[in-house]
């Protein structure tokens, strides 16, 4: 097992930090290494602190990794990029679902994959629908949308911890909450995005892989 050096620990201590990103980065990477073979340009929606991007980009060197988020999160993402640069890692673009298009990239390539982690339960349901609409319109045929997070199934929580998490989300913002898998699949279907793979992940999370048909 890799042990962080004292320099790494000191660098992390000065950067915005998400423990969830630290915990789930290796399981997610194993899926991305499989699912993104043959892809070229990935848009990450909701890059957050930027931790995922600096971990994935140097380990997926065949990809251009484009980060994006609302403007308030750009400083954190840029700080991580400055500490852990990679030639295929691109500075964040502004992406706010209040606007009507995906952000234009700086390398003149069309996105052939989109990755998003822990976003669908944070944004409101109309914005979930809009995200799928925008991604479905932008991806080419056989392009992929890869979404990580918790999902309910058959009208029920998949664990007591997910129920507690959902309650905390809704107390903070009634428009947020863990989404029902069946609802997400229907929204995807409307945008010609078909569930091609599904992976069980640690801590009662899942990765859903949609492909445009």
């Amino acid at each position: 097992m890799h042990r962080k050096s004292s320099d790494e620990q000191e660098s992390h201590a000065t950067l915005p930090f998400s423990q969830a990103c630290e915990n789930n980065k290796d399981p997610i990477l194993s899926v991305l290494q499989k699912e993104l073979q043959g892809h070229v340009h990935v848009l990450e929606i909701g890059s957050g602190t930027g931790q995922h991007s600096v971990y994935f980009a140097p380990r997926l060197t065949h990809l251009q990794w484009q980060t994006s988020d609302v403007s308030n999160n750009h400083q954190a993402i840029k700080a991580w990029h400055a500490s852990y640069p990679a030639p295929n890692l691109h500075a964040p673009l502004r992406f706010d679902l209040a606007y009507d298009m995906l952000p234009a990239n700086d390398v003149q390539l069309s996105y052939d994959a989109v990755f998003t982690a822990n976003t669908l339960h944070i944004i409101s349901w109309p914005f979930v629908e809009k995200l799928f609409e925008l991604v479905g319109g932008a991806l080419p045929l056989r392009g992929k949308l890869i979404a990580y997070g918790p999902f309910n199934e058959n009208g029920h929580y998949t664990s007591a911890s997910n129920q507690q998490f959902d309650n905390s989300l809704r107390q903070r913002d009634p428009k947020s909450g863990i989404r029902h898998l069946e609802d997400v699949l229907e929204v995807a279907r409307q945008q010609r995005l078909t569930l091609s793979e599904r992976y069980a992940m640690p801590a009662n999370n899942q990765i859903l892989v949609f492909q445009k048909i």
Side-chain angles (χ1 to χ4, degrees):
M1 183 170 68
H2 173 70
R3 294 181 180 274
K4 292 188 180 75
S5 68
S6 59
D7 288 343
E8 287 178 305
Q9 291 172 338
E10 182 178 353
S11 178
H12 283 193
T14 65
L15 294 169
F17 186 79
S18 165
Q19 188 61 51
C21 286
E22 185 70 15
N23 294 344
N24 65 32
K25 63 185 183 181
D26 283 313
I28 293 176
L29 177 63
S30 67
V31 173
L32 298 183
Q33 288 171 328
K34 176 182 177 182
E35 290 292 338
L36 294 179
Q37 293 181 29
H39 289 264
V40 174
H41 192 201
V42 177
L43 171 66
E44 181 185 13
I45 292 178
S47 297
T49 61
Q51 285 168 251
H52 275 161
S53 65
V54 301
Y55 193 72
F56 297 154
R59 293 164 176 81
L60 297 164
T61 55
H62 65 290
L63 296 172
Q64 297 296 318
W65 193 276
Q66 177 63 66
T67 53
S68 72
D69 211 317
V70 295
S71 299
N72 288 345
N73 290 337
H74 284 200
Q75 183 176 355
I77 298 168
K78 290 177 179 178
W80 276 91
H81 288 193
S83 294
Y84 300 96
N88 60 329
L89 179 60
H90 297 272
L93 301 174
R94 190 180 78 162
F95 181 46
D96 190 325
L97 282 162
Y99 296 87
D100 292 328
M101 61 185 65
L102 292 182
N105 64 77
D106 61 350
V107 292
Q108 303 303 311
L109 293 172
S110 297
Y111 305 118
D112 59 2
V114 173
F115 169 73
T116 190
N118 290 326
T119 55
L120 301 187
H121 57 272
I122 299 298
I123 59 179
S124 69
W125 180 250
F127 279 167
V128 173
E129 295 176 308
K130 189 169 184 179
L131 187 152
F132 274 86
E133 178 184 357
L134 293 176
V135 171
L139 285 177
L141 289 177
R142 294 179 293 280
K144 289 181 178 178
L145 166 61
I146 301 175
Y148 169 91
F151 298 93
N152 294 331
E153 294 186 51
N154 301 313
H156 300 288
Y157 296 105
T158 59
S159 69
S161 62
N162 275 2
Q163 183 174 8
Q164 293 170 357
F165 179 49
D166 187 57
N167 289 338
S168 68
L169 288 170
R170 294 179 187 277
Q171 287 174 3
R172 187 183 63 184
D173 180 1
K175 295 180 181 179
S176 65
I178 296 177
R179 306 305 173 189
H180 293 284
L181 177 63
E182 296 80 6
D183 294 340
V184 173
L185 296 183
E186 175 58 22
V187 168
R189 184 195 65 79
Q190 294 171 8
Q191 304 302 329
R192 298 173 58 199
L193 293 166
T194 298
L195 185 69
S196 60
E197 293 289 347
R198 180 179 170 192
Y199 297 87
M201 304 297 283
N204 302 301
N205 289 303
Q206 299 181 48
I207 284 182
L208 306 180
V209 181
F210 298 93
Q211 190 160 35
K212 186 171 180 179
I213 58 172

